[in-house]
Amino acid sequence: MPVVLGTLLALISVAVIAYPFFGSKRYRMVSERFITRELSRAERLRIYRKISDIDADFTSGDLTEADYQQQRDMLRVSAAEILRQESGASSSNSARDEELEKEISRLREQSAQPPEGGDPLR
Amino acid sequence: MADLGVMALLLGLALSAYSAVGSIIGEKRGMAELVVSARRALYMTTLAAAVASGALINAFVQNDFSIKYVADHSNTLMDRAFVWVAFYAGNEGSLLYILLTLSIITALSVWFAPKRLARSMPWTIAILAVIQLFYFGVLAFVASPFELLGTVPGDGRGINPLLTHPGMFSHPPLLMGGLIAITIPFAFVSGAMIAGNYGDDWIDVARVSAIISWGVLGTGMLLGAWWAYTILGWGGYWAWDPIENVALMPWLVMTAFIHSVMVQKRRGMFRMWNVALLNIAFVLAQLGMFINRGGPVVSVHSFAASTLGVIFLIFMLASLVFAFALFLWRMPEMKSDRAMESFISREASFLINNFLFLSVMAVTLWGVLFPLFSDLARDVSVSVSAPYFDRANGPVLLGIVIMMGIGPLLPWRKSSARSLKQWFMWPTLVGVLTIVVLVALGVQRPVAILAFGVVAFVATAISEEWWRGTAARHQAGDNWLLAWWRLVNGNRPRHGGYIVHISILMLGLGIIGTNFYQQRTDGALSLGESLVIDNYRIEYVGNGDESRRDRIAQWAEMSVYRIDTNDYSTEIAVARDEGLSGFTLENSEVRPNDELIAQIQPWHGFYPDFNMASVRSGIRSTIVEDLYVIPRDFLADGRISLAVSINPLAWWLWASGPFFILGTMVALWPQSSVERRSKHQKVPAAPDDNEGEL
Ligand code: HEM
Ligand code: HEM
């Protein structure tokens, strides 16, 4: 009995690992395009997160106003640039800007930060 | 069942070898099917490990004593619930448990790996597969739990009596699991390094997997300490035993890592540091495996030395060479985006942190390795004892706690942002005030007083930050509790971290109290006699026998009284003159004012089959101090020999546990659903890109 089970296990394993070679689905190595898209999406998310992080830092007084504005502007520019590349030239500047602000404010709401920004304690 | 187990192990061996080789060749030659197939093979190893484990557990359940491991670690008397414990009670089974854990978390982490890591995944998979290959190989050929006995005994030897406790359901699995789980962040980072993915794409996976393994390891250590203290009556909770050290070292380095990685995330700095820290943690985890699997250091845990030790030593050295060769190869690419701007900044505090944690690790490592080297060199056994560790690590640990107060108050980049004076004023004031009050109260021990001051400083710093954030939200209309919760929820990694910091402060209180202010005495009591220590009187009022087939066991009934020391001033004076911290009393000498505050039942057992004694201490615990009574022995003349101590603040050691776990979970709780949401976002994708990509 154990030998039968063991053999069965081996057969299943062989079937599972052989399937990609014989199955109908075709695989390709990761393409440049795919990676570029994934990376740019990841980068964009990372920028959103960074913006919400520095919002929080500014709120809690971990960043000066000047630093904060400067970093935020830089991050926004990079995010907009990425969005532009992702969507091609199809959408207008203002639509992208709107998209960007929406993402950021959604993040901020989630963080339940007081909306005005700035250190509420000073 | 033994056949099935062996077959599953051999199958797992073949699958993991195939997975490693297939993944690398597939990636190098651009053979997509092979890469996919190799990944599937890695999933199948989980099934193989599960079947092997199932076969062993089944053999325990069936009392199949033809299998040596089963006969060695259980018998028909054993409560069936302990099958789970017996499973990892010895070398072979615990290796199988480690492999099972590794294969499960491997499968999960590969399955859930973010797509953007697609290019480095074949390498990550190859590394994971090689590590599994090692374990399958060891289990199949060197330490098989399925080895058969020539003659089948009628009954097994039974489970090690120290293990027949509910605590054993969690402590060993957590520690072994925590140590092996360090493999995951290591494999992801190394995979990214090989693939030339030096960016920050691996950060999130590494952070999450690192915090999970770190949290599990930390919880396991705390449980082990709690168990040694509360259940086993070892009198202490941390002995700087090699096995404890090998769990502590990777934990310390991982603590440095989870802080250091924040700098990379926020500021694009410390890349080399972070990779190096993970490498070190991984190699230290392998050191732990080596020392525990038949390494040369004798410890309560370690299994008899064997060829296994050599094999694990080689594997550890191989991981060391691999990790650091990879590091040196990729080092030129791991530049920081920018340089440190000021030494009074958050990033600088994390840099100091890295050094502090590494130095505690190094001191501890030296303490573990020195006896080995001197053994080899001079053929004499030297052991490094607790005072070495205490003296060398104590000040640095205090430094770490100080930094824990300072770091979070410093802003990123440079310190112009926050008015530092304003932020440091309260913590400093409270810290200094604490010291002044303690001195004024006549508390002894300057070092401990300083340490209390530091704890107060850090606690105030955290409270201050919480107070300000909560007050702001309270003003906006939330009630206090909700306001605090919103604050925490708004930035879970940070506030989860603070909760963990609080747990470390609690641990700190316990460590200071027990290390600096412990009082001890010992004595032997006949029925009716009492032992007095400080303002406690412990009276021996009764006893009972609990011997069973496998043990000779007795317990004592003791009443604990609070005494007014003025009532006993003459006896106390005599004892003090003799340099004793306690004394015994006849029944007739007892004063009537004593107030009964507790009953305790210390227990003492001896297991002849294992030639092993085991005790359960009697403890009366309050948040101020523990009265701790260890029954050393029941003497032939009817007396009981006791070791008694008062352990100030010991309660805080264990109270820290829930906070540690809570804080870790808060920090880990998925931050937001941006990622998920963004998947539905309408970024036009080329349609042919969606199918069949790896
Ligand atoms: C501070 C306290 C403790 C620490 C830091 C600690 C550390 C560890 C570590 C690192 C492991 C995993 C080793 C490995 O297999 O790789 C382990 C396992 C284990 N510990 Fe502890 N331990 C502590 C206390 C205790 C105590 C008091 C006992 C009781 C005698 C105990 C019994 C065990 C057992 C039975 C295992 C499983 C052995 C194995 O299969 O590896 N531990 N502990
Ligand atoms: C044994 C000691 C320590 C433990 C166990 C510990 C634990 C933690 C944990 C688990 C987190 C959350 C990390 C995350 O979510 O990614 C955290 C955050 C943090 N820790 Fe520690 N920590 C320790 C010491 C220190 C020290 C010495 C410093 C001083 C520099 C420090 C500063 C911080 C800061 C500033 C954060 C929050 C960062 C943020 O998100 O704003 N910690 N800590």
Side-chain angles (χ1 to χ4, degrees):
Chain A
M1 179 64 179
V3 178
V4 174
L5 282 177
T7 313
L8 196 65
L9 181 65
L11 289 176
I12 294 173
S13 302
V14 170
V16 168
I17 62 177
Y19 184 79
F21 298 104
F22 303 107
S24 56
K25 194 168 165 187
R26 297 260 64 88
Y27 296 93
R28 281 178 291 117
M29 293 304 282
V30 196
S31 65
E32 275 315 315
R33 201 138 118 231
F34 176 82
I35 279 289
T36 317
R37 210 180 65 213
E38 278 301 321
L39 285 184
S40 96
R41 196 175 73 91
E43 182 61 25
R44 187 160 47 79
L45 291 175
R46 207 155 41 224
I47 293 176
Y48 292 160
R49 161 93 22 243
K50 267 196 182 148
I51 293 181
S52 109
D53 280 349
I54 63 168
D55 281 357
D57 281 351
F58 178 52
T59 311
S60 61
D62 282 358
L63 270 179
T64 55
E65 169 113 37
D67 266 2
Y68 169 68
Q69 289 301 353
Q70 187 209 348
Q71 288 190 20
R72 199 169 193 280
D73 287 347
M74 267 166 46
L75 289 170
R76 283 202 41 174
V77 169
S78 341
E81 175 65 16
I82 292 174
L83 263 183
R84 194 179 58 74
Q85 281 170 3
E86 279 182 354
S87 56
S90 61
S91 65
S92 71
N93 274 337
S94 59
R96 279 195 305 271
D97 254 18
E98 209 175 298
E99 179 68 50
L100 204 68
E101 275 310 320
K102 251 195 305 196
E103 270 308 322
I104 297 167
S105 66
R106 235 178 296 172
L107 269 172
R108 191 179 306 131
E109 268 164 43
Q110 268 169 358
S111 320
Q113 301 290 350
E116 323 78 65
D119 191 343
L121 310 159
R122 282 195 203 135
Chain B
M1 274 302 135
D3 292 342
L4 179 59
V6 172
M7 288 175 83
L9 289 176
L10 291 172
L11 179 67
L13 185 77
L15 284 169
S16 41
Y18 172 76
S19 180
V21 176
S23 212
I24 295 175
I25 294 182
E27 167 67 19
K28 281 273 170 211
R29 299 262 168 94
M31 297 157 74
E33 286 81 8
L34 186 55
V35 175
V36 175
S37 169
R39 176 188 314 184
R40 290 174 153 233
L42 195 64
Y43 293 139
M44 292 312 286
T45 60
T46 312
L47 186 62
V51 169
S53 308
L56 186 61
I57 288 176
N58 189 47
F60 271 113
V61 173
Q62 309 280 341
N63 284 322
D64 184 353
F65 299 126
S66 67
I67 297 178
K68 182 168 183 301
Y69 189 78
V70 176
D72 279 350
H73 298 284
S74 77
N75 58 16
T76 45
L77 272 184
M78 187 179 80
D79 188 334
R80 289 300 95 179
F82 284 109
V83 163
W84 171 243
V85 179
F87 173 44
Y88 47 72
N91 227 343
E92 296 83 1
S94 65
L95 282 169
L96 183 54
Y97 168 81
I98 288 172
L99 173 63
L100 178 66
T101 314
L102 175 65
S103 67
I104 292 174
I105 56 180
T106 292
L108 287 175
S109 65
V110 171
W111 182 265
F112 288 109
K115 280 227 170 91
R116 61 176 180 278
L117 294 178
R119 191 163 284 159
S120 60
M121 277 318 280
W123 298 106
T124 301
I125 287 174
I127 293 168
L128 291 167
V130 167
I131 297 172
Q132 287 198 19
L133 177 68
F134 171 74
Y135 281 94
F136 274 115
V138 168
L139 279 161
F141 301 118
V142 189
S144 174
F146 299 107
E147 194 184 327
L148 298 174
L149 286 172
T151 47
V152 180
D155 201 352
R157 179 156 179 258
I159 189 168
N160 179 332
L162 286 186
L163 304 188
T164 54
H165 185 276
M168 276 294 124
F169 285 91
S170 52
H171 160 78
L174 286 174
L175 273 154
M176 291 186 277
L179 282 180
I180 197 65
I182 298 176
T183 308
I184 304 294
F186 171 77
F188 272 88
V189 172
S190 302
M193 290 296 113
I194 298 177
N197 199 347
Y198 319 109
D200 299 338
D201 294 304
W202 51 266
I203 288 187
D204 289 329
V205 183
R207 170 184 171 263
V208 169
S209 55
I211 295 184
I212 291 176
S213 63
W214 171 90
V216 168
L217 191 59
T219 309
M221 280 193 285
L222 206 58
L223 269 173
W226 173 80
W227 191 53
Y229 177 87
T230 311
I231 310 295
L232 288 181
W234 287 4
Y237 49 89
W238 190 267
W240 298 105
D241 181 291
I243 190 67
E244 296 166 2
N245 292 339
V246 297
L248 179 68
M249 288 187 288
W251 187 85
L252 289 167
V253 178
M254 298 282 275
T255 314
F257 171 78
I258 60 184
H259 289 89
S260 184
V261 80
M262 285 185 230
V263 183
Q264 183 172 345
K265 202 169 166 173
R266 290 300 191 80
R267 309 278 301 150
M269 297 157 68
F270 288 16
R271 292 207 171 86
M272 282 188 217
W273 262 114
N274 296 335
V275 173
L277 287 172
L278 270 186
N279 286 349
I280 296 173
F282 177 72
V283 173
L284 286 171
Q286 298 310 312
L287 175 73
M289 295 291 174
F290 159 59
I291 288 198
N292 228 33
R293 312 280 135 211
V297 180
V298 187
S299 113
V300 262
H301 299 72
S302 63
F303 303 101
S306 59
T307 43
L308 211 51
V310 180
I311 292 170
F312 273 88
L313 179 64
I314 292 172
F315 190 67
M316 182 195 84
L317 294 176
S319 7
L320 183 77
V321 171
F322 171 78
F324 285 88
L326 187 57
F327 181 80
L328 291 178
W329 176 36
R330 292 310 199 185
M331 199 165 71
E333 258 88 22
M334 291 188 276
K335 292 272 172 350
S336 286
D337 294 350
R338 46 176 76 83
M340 185 94 69
E341 290 175 49
S342 159
F343 261 88
I344 308 184
S345 63
R346 177 83 50 95
E347 44 274 50
S349 76
F350 284 144
L351 181 65
I352 297 174
N353 229 3
N354 286 351
F355 282 112
L356 292 178
F357 278 108
L358 282 184
S359 69
V360 179
M361 183 279 285
V363 164
T364 310
L365 183 63
W366 179 244
V368 172
L369 295 185
F370 177 70
L372 299 188
F373 291 144
S374 66
D375 227 15
L376 289 178
R378 291 184 293 149
D379 224 17
V380 283
S381 289
V382 190
S383 73
V384 179
S385 61
Y388 158 79
F389 293 101
D390 287 342
R391 217 162 295 149
N393 280 337
V396 189
L397 289 171
L398 191 63
I400 286 177
V401 180
I402 295 177
M403 287 307 297
M404 200 195 277
I406 297 176
L409 295 186
L410 295 178
W412 293 102
R413 244 185 111 194
K414 51 184 188 265
S415 52
S416 56
R418 275 186 176 184
S419 137
L420 288 186
K421 208 170 84 196
Q422 184 191 341
W423 279 91
F424 276 98
M425 185 179 74
W426 281 108
T428 313
L429 216 64
V430 174
V432 170
L433 204 69
T434 305
I435 293 177
V436 170
V437 168
L438 290 176
V439 171
L441 287 175
V443 175
Q444 306 285 310
R445 308 287 194 134
V447 177
I449 292 177
L450 178 69
F452 281 127
V454 167
V455 170
F457 166 79
V458 182
T460 315
I462 298 173
S463 316
E464 185 181 24
E465 186 140 356
W466 277 352
W467 165 252
R468 294 191 183 210
T470 309
R473 280 175 178 69
H474 177 65
Q475 269 169 18
D478 293 339
N479 73 39
W480 287 105
L481 202 64
L482 190 65
W484 178 77
W485 179 243
R486 286 244 167 103
L487 175 75
V488 169
N489 210 25
N491 192 345
R492 286 191 285 264
R494 162 182 293 194
H495 296 286
Y498 290 165
I499 297 175
V500 173
H501 288 180
I502 290 196
S503 78
I504 299 296
L505 295 182
M506 296 167 78
L507 199 64
L509 281 184
I511 292 173
I512 303 167
T514 51
N515 272 328
F516 287 93
Y517 300 104
Q518 189 185 51
Q519 299 179 52
R520 296 182 213 216
T521 189
D522 39 29
L525 299 181
S526 302
L527 270 176
E529 283 184 342
S530 293
L531 185 71
V532 174
I533 176 169
D534 196 38
N535 55 357
Y536 293 99
R537 178 167 68 77
I538 304 147
E539 186 176 325
Y540 182 20
V541 291
N543 56 27
D545 195 286
E546 222 178 50
S547 299
R548 306 252 176 88
R549 210 183 86 178
D550 60 339
R551 73 186 81 152
I552 302 160
Q554 284 159 294
W555 52 269
E557 180 73 32
M558 303 198 151
S559 302
V560 178
Y561 294 86
R562 158 127 308 134
I563 60 172
D564 183 345
T565 42
N566 293 328
D567 292 348
Y568 293 90
S569 47
T570 37
E571 285 95 338
I572 291 174
V574 171
R576 193 173 296 145
D577 284 347
E578 291 172 20
L580 300 174
S581 48
F583 52 90
T584 52
L585 286 176
E586 300 281 338
N587 211 351
S588 53
E589 298 167 306
V590 167
R591 316 293 197 269
N593 287 345
D594 299 355
E595 175 200 358
L596 180 67
I597 51 174
Q599 295 289 136
I600 53 178
Q601 287 89 18
W603 181 98
H604 183 279
F606 180 75
Y607 297 81
D609 289 353
F610 289 84
N611 192 21
M612 200 179 260
S614 169
V615 304
R616 305 262 142 92
S617 45
I619 306 177
R620 182 201 183 246
S621 184
T622 67
I623 63 169
V624 179
E625 63 190 17
D626 286 7
L627 175 71
Y628 191 90
V629 180
I630 307 171
R632 280 233 209 83
D633 213 349
F634 283 84
L635 304 174
D637 60 8
R639 290 185 307 157
I640 177 171
S641 153
L642 298 176
V644 179
S645 60
I646 294 176
N647 302 328
L649 303 177
W651 181 87
W652 293 88
L653 294 166
W654 320 127
S656 73
F659 288 86
F660 178 81
I661 295 169
L662 174 73
T664 306
M665 293 205 324
V666 169
L668 268 180
W669 209 259
Q671 176 68 351
S672 77
S673 47
V674 206
E675 185 113 7
R676 235 175 301 134
R677 229 188 305 111
S678 149
K679 282 202 177 131
H680 306 298
Q681 209 174 290
K682 310 159 289 298
V683 175
D688 62 335
D689 256 9
N690 287 340
E691 284 285 321
E693 211 69 65
L694 291 174

